[in-house]
Every structure is written in C-alpha cells, then in structure tokens.
Amino acid sequence: MRTRAQVRHLLRPDDDAYGTDEVDRHVTAWLAAHPDFTPKHDGPTRDQWDALIPG
C-alpha cells in the first residue's frame, strides 16, 4: 500500500516504485503463501469492449 500511495501521489514513477527489492520480497512471499493463486481477467472481453465503444 505504501508503494501504491507513492505512485498515486506522483512521488515516484510506477517503474521505480514497483521495481524495488521491498516490493519484490513482499510479492514473492505472498505468492509462496498462495501457491494455488491464478490471476484472472476482471474486465470486459475485447468483443464486449468493441461493442460498447464506437470505432
């Protein structure tokens, strides 16, 4: 959350904030604790998007 706040408040660019060793350690630990985690897409499909947004 600290990293996200830095990015949101424009204190650090995304790549700098999310590319730290601290973030890597936390993400690695979280993934190790959740071995069954599979990322899922939570937005519209391309066809749904195209149907909503005029070309």
Side-chain angles (χ1 to χ4, degrees):
M1 292 305 294
R2 185 173 46 243
T3 300
R4 187 172 183 188
Q6 290 175 354
V7 171
R8 276 197 142 167
H9 296 288
L10 304 176
L11 299 175
R12 296 176 74 185
D14 310 17
D15 292 344
D16 290 347
Y18 291 113
T20 66
D21 288 337
E22 179 187 14
V23 171
D24 183 61
R25 282 193 312 275
H26 286 284
V27 170
T28 300
W30 189 91
L31 289 171
H34 300 86
D36 296 331
F37 172 74
T38 303
K40 295 178 181 72
H41 179 74
D42 67 351
T45 64
R46 183 65 188 194
D47 290 337
Q48 292 168 326
W49 181 258
D50 287 342
L52 293 170
I53 307 299

